[in-house]
Amino acid sequence: MPAKNLTANRAALGHRLAYVLRHPDRVPRHLARSARDMWLRRRHPDHVSYYRAVMRFDTRADPDAAVGSHIRERWLALGQLQFDYLVGHGLRPAHRMLEIGCGNLRGGWRFIRHLEPGHYYGIDISPDILFAAQDTVVRMGLQQRLPTLTPVRDLTLEFLPEAHFDVVHAHSVFSHSPLPVIEECLANVGRVLAPGGWFDFTFDRTEGEEHQVLREDFYYRTETLVALAEQHGLRARFMADWEALPHGQSKIRVTRPG
């Protein structure tokens, strides 16, 4: 995988023009995304409903691509990467796991198979991708593992029990979220974490100016997200060992003090 470009501002005109010159074959797809963005922005002014509509479009075309994997082999490889990392960090079958933005279970089906029956809880803002997640459960023969798959309106997590989950996981969720959505999650995730539990999330990292592209891709400085977690009484640390793995995003781990 190419090295991360941590200084580029992908929203800047100069960067966009240079990208067009390097990748002229991608221009039609970008123009289609831009037109969709303008149309959906008028219909869905708040970000969650906007991105739910994006997922509806993308899932109808290809559920794997909707979660960022345009070929099946990549879908499987990224799921394996997530699974191996968490197991290597101590994810045990007895743990209770909440996956925020579980998608069509790219990593989730492996977690469901690893955990004791009933110990996996997946949530997503997109009902459409959760239908695809049900298909994954059937395809992988995981019905007896009793996974829970629930659509949500937001990330307040109000309907979930206090101090219940040993591991909370959000892969490629904050990379598509503005700061108010991220803060909503960080303000509430500590309540559902069990003592000694942790919350891992990935994000698109920049060391330059924070920016977004078409309201679908958001780039943040590490210190911004660490400080935001600390504002809500959480401890956060950058996971350097994840950085060495073949994935384009970075990872932060959040825990409750004490």
Side-chain angles (χ1 to χ4, degrees):
M1 174 170 291
K4 298 176 186 178
N5 186 337
L6 298 177
T7 58
N9 183 339
R10 294 158 183 82
L13 178 60
H15 180 87
R16 296 203 302 266
L17 290 175
Y19 185 87
V20 166
L21 292 174
R22 292 195 308 271
H23 306 287
D25 56 309
R26 300 180 187 178
V27 172
R29 181 174 180 272
H30 182 78
L31 291 176
R33 280 185 63 192
S34 298
R36 183 179 72 176
D37 170 70
M38 293 176 62
W39 182 60
L40 292 179
R41 188 181 302 183
R42 288 196 296 268
R43 293 172 60 88
H44 305 283
D46 70 285
H47 184 77
V48 172
S49 63
Y50 167 85
Y51 204 73
R52 185 179 292 119
V54 168
M55 290 298 293
R56 183 180 306 118
F57 274 91
D58 289 348
T59 301
R60 287 173 180 171
D62 181 354
D64 290 356
V67 299
S69 298
H70 293 278
I71 58 174
R72 190 64 174 178
E73 290 77 10
R74 187 61 177 159
W75 187 86
L76 291 168
L78 287 179
Q80 186 72 57
L81 189 73
Q82 297 172 48
F83 176 77
D84 289 344
Y85 186 83
L86 284 187
V87 170
H89 278 253
L91 178 67
R92 302 192 304 273
H95 280 154
R96 291 184 174 88
M97 180 177 184
L98 170 66
E99 185 160 34
I100 297 171
C102 64
N104 67 335
L105 302 180
R106 177 170 58 181
W109 74 267
R110 299 180 191 275
F111 296 130
I112 293 167
R113 187 178 61 180
H114 176 71
L115 298 169
E116 293 178 5
H119 281 214
Y120 176 90
Y121 204 113
I123 62 174
D124 205 289
I125 64 167
S126 170
D128 299 271
I129 202 67
L130 289 177
F131 297 149
Q134 291 174 353
D135 294 338
T136 300
V137 169
V138 173
R139 186 168 59 249
M140 299 302 182
L142 298 169
Q143 296 93 328
Q144 300 305 312
R145 311 303 293 177
L146 298 174
T148 299
L149 302 171
T150 300
V152 294
R153 290 186 295 265
D154 52 41
L155 295 182
T156 60
L157 311 177
E158 291 178 329
F159 67 101
L160 295 172
E162 185 174 348
H164 184 74
F165 295 102
D166 303 288
V167 177
V168 180
H169 185 241
H171 186 93
S172 198
V173 174
F174 290 176
S175 53
H176 303 299
S177 302
L179 274 180
V181 172
I182 296 174
E183 182 167 19
E184 180 177 75
C185 182
L186 292 173
N188 293 284
V189 72
R191 185 187 66 82
V192 303
L193 275 175
W198 74 87
F199 169 35
D200 276 11
F201 63 83
T202 64
F203 67 105
D204 280 326
R205 180 163 66 97
T206 182
E207 293 179 356
E209 182 180 358
E210 296 181 334
H211 59 282
Q212 57 86 16
V213 179
L214 295 178
R215 295 209 303 172
E216 293 185 33
D217 302 303
F218 291 78
Y219 296 82
Y220 296 109
R221 297 174 67 89
T222 301
E223 52 266 35
T224 296
L225 301 182
V226 168
L228 194 60
E230 291 174 348
Q231 286 177 24
H232 294 284
L234 302 168
R235 290 177 180 159
R237 62 186 176 100
F238 183 77
M239 303 303 287
D241 61 343
W242 171 266
E243 203 74 0
L245 299 176
H247 189 276
Q249 296 183 5
S250 298
K251 185 186 286 281
I252 288 174
R253 176 165 296 173
V254 168
T255 56
R256 290 173 55 186

